[in-house]
Amino acid sequence: DRLVAELSKPDEGGREDDDAGEDERRERGRRRERRREAARRARAFVGRALELAACADGAACDLRELARATRTFVTEFARVADPLDGSALTGLQTLLEELELLAPAALSPAEAAARLADAVHGLSVESDRARPGRLYVTDVAGGGWSGRRHAFLVGLDEARHPGADLEDPVLLDSERREINRALAPAALSLFRDRPRDAARSLQSCVARFAGSLTASYSSWKLRSLDQQSEQFPSPFFLEIHRAASGRPRADYTDLAGALPSPAGFAPGPHAALDETEWWLSGLTRARGASGGGAAEAVAALYPHLREGRRAEEARASDAFTIYDGWVRGGTPELDPRAGGAPQSASRLQQLAACPFRYFVRYVLDVEAPETAERDRTRWLDPLLAGSLLHDAFRLFFEQITARGEKPSVARHAALIEEIAEEQIRVWRDRIPPRSEIAFAQRREELLFACGAFLRLEEEHCRGVTPRFFEVPFGLPRAELRGPIASRDPVTIDAGGGRSFALRGSIDRIDQGSDGAFQVWDYKTGAAFRFSEARGLDGGRRIQYALYALALEALLERAGLPSRVSHSGYFFPGRRGEGQRFRMPLDVGRTRETVNRLMDLLAAGAFPHSLQAGDCGFCDYESVCGGASAASARARVKLASPPLEALRAFREIHDAE
């Protein structure tokens, strides 16, 4: 209900709107509408499920009523995609109807659910006896009874048979033995005995076979493209080889020499079981050393595959090509210095970190798919948790500065905790947590950050006076607080008679005893990539310098002294360890870095980052092929870059 209500409110935007254009905001509105409709459907589903929950109140319930409610649930919500699903649905409905005819039995909800689960677990659908002309598939315990002339044992790899002799971590074998002594003659199975029992069962199965036997195992484990590995035969497979070859002392080397080549997914033309395998066998025969006629025929029919192959070859080459992020002819319309739309510092930092990611996201306008599942172990992602803390810090400073006070642990500890708790309550109503454990963990982190913030600010504010908080400029929908906030962007002088418009929001502005102002940006993550010595870091940390220039323009507009002496970052959270970085201000270096980045935009050159570390938490790794490989490829391609803009980009990346 809270989620539906929240999504039904007008979208007020937020800090993420700093970089959003009108088209992007409309698309965000469409996504919000889709989420609202999904939430309504989810609510309807949950409401119907609760109506059918016969034991929802925790009291004793009748097994018949639970079976009836379950049958209704299955009938209304089960998805039938093929005849087997239809048979399964019919089987479940029949089973539950039979349970509805039982005598009344008042059980606890747990007992009733367990009875129902046991009944469903034992249900078989479309099982059958061995019939002439058909394959008969069964497990080892059921094998060998049908009298078939040909038997096939599959899955005889060492991981599957006889299995690992690991104990149950919940109920150890020693505990099972004590239970067996008390319950004799009933007995629980011992996990350490399972490999021995499995071996005996398989030996008994083989002894029942009356005709020929073919045994096989999977020699290659296919988990994913980057998790493939070789598999080896089980000891029983070796025993079969010894019996078949008459060599009781044969070892695995002898077995490997006696086996034929492994069968793959592409069988011979006369061994294909269906149309797909027939086509695979045909393509295998037609394939030459470099793809042969089959590949060319496929490319002729599917031009997109031909283009994809061409792109892969270009990316694998040493040349910087259009498939690596080069728009031939340039893109001067993207240059902010040519009078384009206002830029945000965060977008310029993304350009500095990885121009290719910037190209995919902002030039090609490709958005990563939304995550289907939220992490159950976490309430509020880092961005939203940061927004909550920004709100709490602003409200705290607004209250104490209105009273002419500076931060004090003795006077204000209860106040900042009260403000934090209220913000946590507001955000909990807005985004309900998936679990109380996740909520409690995030709440503790937020309260710790607020407490650390107060302690560190008490020391920091002895030499400065906090003046302005959350100051937006160039953000039309932002709330204006204080005399220097502005709906208009500020103009940043890029040197050489060029300039560009900048928009954003300054977290905090202090004033020193000398009258000069200081810019501080709150960071709620870790500080390992930040360093005063690294300065602009090739443009990856250019925000502090641009905000210092922006503040001078805002102060001048308001008729206030416009000297800015400091700019930096403050990490009050547990991961940031309360560190504060006072970054070096160098207007000349800032302009040089800005111009080099904007030269990339004008030239239409968007190479991948030269350092894999720039690609943490990137949504587009599937596009570039992976950070490590793409960064190494970019270094080769930019060894002798054809464009001056690329040469300058490499210089600032390597220099920093």
Side-chain angles (χ1 to χ4, degrees):
D1 287 339
R2 288 196 299 267
L3 179 59
V4 172
E6 177 64 27
L7 292 173
S8 298
K9 297 177 182 177
D11 186 7
E12 299 176 354
R15 298 178 64 85
E16 65 274 13
D17 273 352
D18 291 1
D19 295 329
E22 189 60 34
D23 291 342
E24 192 170 347
R25 283 193 287 270
R26 281 198 295 267
E27 176 58 29
R28 185 177 298 147
R30 288 191 288 269
R31 290 201 304 269
R32 186 181 180 87
E33 176 58 35
R34 290 195 295 270
R35 289 183 60 205
R36 180 164 54 245
E37 180 59 25
R40 287 170 177 164
R41 291 176 180 270
R43 188 199 181 286
F45 169 79
V46 172
R48 179 57 175 155
L50 292 176
E51 289 178 5
L52 297 174
C55 307
D57 58 358
C61 63
D62 191 338
L63 181 63
R64 300 174 305 168
E65 293 300 321
L66 183 60
R68 182 176 297 109
T70 305
R71 178 169 60 84
T72 302
F73 179 87
V74 169
T75 301
E76 292 184 8
F77 296 111
R79 177 176 180 267
V80 178
D82 53 39
L84 183 59
D85 283 349
S87 299
L89 177 59
T90 301
L92 285 170
Q93 290 171 330
T94 302
L95 170 67
L96 295 168
E97 286 175 352
E98 293 173 353
L99 293 176
E100 293 174 36
L101 300 176
L102 295 175
L107 303 173
S108 70
E111 291 174 327
R115 291 275 188 93
L116 210 59
D118 288 342
V120 172
H121 183 73
L123 179 65
S124 296
V125 178
E126 292 196 356
S127 57
D128 200 0
R129 61 180 176 81
R131 294 183 180 275
R134 299 184 182 182
L135 291 175
Y136 180 58
V137 182
T138 184
D139 57 15
V140 169
W145 301 103
S146 64
R148 293 292 177 94
R149 292 179 296 167
H150 304 287
F152 301 86
L153 272 176
V154 299
L156 288 181
D157 58 82
E158 62 177 354
R160 189 182 303 273
H161 181 81
D165 60 344
L166 301 177
E167 291 194 64
D168 181 1
V170 177
L171 194 61
L172 301 177
D173 280 356
S174 58
E175 298 167 330
R176 289 169 178 262
R177 291 190 184 94
E178 294 299 323
I179 294 174
N180 290 342
R181 292 191 185 97
L183 298 180
L188 298 173
S189 62
L190 302 180
F191 274 56
R192 292 273 184 190
D193 294 340
R194 289 193 172 189
R196 182 193 63 191
D197 296 340
R200 289 177 177 175
S201 180
L202 183 55
Q203 291 168 354
S204 299
C205 174
V206 172
R208 292 193 292 267
F209 290 147
S212 67
L213 170 64
T214 301
S216 67
Y217 74 97
S218 175
S219 61
W220 198 253
K221 184 181 298 182
L222 296 175
R223 289 182 176 175
S224 63
L225 290 176
D226 58 347
Q227 289 186 329
Q228 300 184 23
S229 60
E230 187 177 2
Q231 291 191 141
F232 301 96
S234 71
F236 191 77
F237 196 88
L238 177 61
E239 292 299 323
I240 293 177
H241 169 66
R242 288 171 174 172
S245 64
R247 300 169 58 191
R249 301 181 67 84
D251 57 18
Y252 281 100
T253 302
D254 300 322
L255 172 62
L259 290 176
S261 298
F265 292 108
H270 303 296
L273 295 179
D274 56 20
E275 184 179 1
T276 299
E277 291 191 357
W278 184 87
W279 275 106
L280 284 173
S281 66
L283 289 173
T284 302
R285 293 195 309 276
R287 186 178 60 200
S290 61
E296 293 303 321
V298 171
L301 288 173
Y302 300 99
H304 291 310
L305 293 180
R306 180 190 297 275
E307 288 299 314
R309 184 177 174 186
R310 182 182 303 167
E312 288 298 322
E313 292 172 350
R315 286 176 177 171
S317 71
D318 293 346
F320 185 68
T321 71
I322 62 173
Y323 300 104
D324 303 300
W326 183 17
V327 182
R328 289 177 179 169
T331 51
E333 67 276 9
L334 299 179
D335 187 352
R337 297 167 301 185
Q343 292 293 301
S344 69
S346 61
R347 184 175 292 194
L348 288 176
Q349 289 182 159
Q350 292 182 54
L351 175 65
C354 183
F356 185 80
R357 177 171 56 188
Y358 182 98
F359 174 67
V360 176
R361 175 64 187 90
Y362 296 111
V363 180
L364 299 184
D365 199 24
V366 176
E367 289 193 23
E370 292 188 68
T371 303
E373 287 284 338
R374 289 214 319 267
D375 187 352
R376 288 181 174 272
T377 64
R378 184 175 64 178
W379 176 61
L380 298 185
D381 62 31
L383 181 63
L384 296 178
S387 295
L388 187 155
L389 286 176
H390 277 74
D391 291 341
F393 297 162
R394 174 183 60 81
L395 291 169
F396 169 75
F397 265 113
E398 285 178 346
Q399 289 193 34
I400 66 170
T401 54
R403 301 197 295 256
E405 299 173 352
K406 288 188 176 183
S408 166
V409 174
R411 294 197 306 270
H412 301 134
L415 173 62
I416 196 169
E417 182 174 345
E418 178 185 346
I419 291 173
E421 291 283 16
E422 175 61 19
Q423 290 303 305
I424 291 171
R425 185 193 66 76
V426 170
W427 280 85
R428 178 178 179 134
D429 288 343
R430 185 181 302 173
I431 304 177
R434 298 290 295 272
S435 72
E436 288 302 317
I437 294 177
F439 172 76
Q441 180 179 1
R442 180 64 83 182
R443 174 180 173 273
E444 191 274 333
E445 293 173 356
L446 295 169
L447 293 178
F448 175 88
C450 289
F453 175 81
L454 178 59
R455 291 192 299 274
L456 295 166
E457 286 296 335
E458 180 178 21
E459 176 66 25
H460 172 72
C461 291
R462 289 193 178 115
V464 300
T465 301
R467 290 297 186 196
F468 309 109
F469 319 102
E470 301 293 338
V471 178
F473 54 95
L475 302 177
R477 298 195 299 168
E479 181 181 353
L480 299 185
R481 304 184 184 92
I484 66 172
S486 173
R487 299 201 183 278
D488 299 321
V490 299
T491 300
I492 301 297
D493 182 6
R498 297 177 296 183
S499 63
F500 67 97
L502 182 72
R503 64 182 179 183
S505 180
I506 301 175
D507 294 341
R508 164 93 164 276
I509 300 169
D510 296 339
Q511 189 172 22
S513 57
D514 60 353
F517 289 91
Q518 304 175 9
V519 175
W520 295 104
D521 189 67
Y522 302 136
K523 296 294 183 184
T524 55
F528 67 93
R529 287 298 302 268
F530 288 77
S531 168
E532 294 174 359
R534 293 169 69 108
L536 299 174
D537 196 11
R540 301 176 187 86
R541 300 286 176 263
I542 204 168
Q543 174 180 299
Y544 79 90
L546 291 178
Y547 277 13
L549 296 176
L551 177 57
E552 290 182 348
L554 293 172
L555 291 169
E556 187 174 351
R557 285 182 188 177
L560 298 174
S562 58
R563 189 165 68 90
V564 177
S565 60
H566 299 161
S567 185
Y569 302 98
F570 177 34
F571 291 78
R574 177 172 282 126
R575 296 179 62 201
E577 300 176 341
Q579 298 184 73
R580 192 184 294 268
F581 296 92
R582 176 179 162 181
M583 309 298 287
L585 291 176
D586 186 331
V587 175
R589 190 66 178 274
T590 301
R591 288 174 177 170
E592 178 188 5
T593 303
V594 165
N595 283 316
R596 289 187 173 189
L597 293 176
M598 293 184 179
D599 286 345
L600 284 176
L601 294 175
F606 302 92
H608 191 277
S609 171
L610 305 180
Q611 300 179 20
D614 289 326
C615 300
F617 309 106
C618 178
D619 293 324
Y620 301 98
E621 281 201 276
S622 60
V623 178
C624 71
S628 298
S631 296
R633 205 163 54 228
R635 284 199 166 273
V636 173
K637 291 177 179 289
L638 299 190
S640 300
L643 298 175
E644 177 60 32
L646 290 176
R647 187 174 292 106
F649 170 73
R650 174 157 189 164
E651 286 176 0
I652 61 174
H653 259 233
D654 288 344
E656 302 286 358

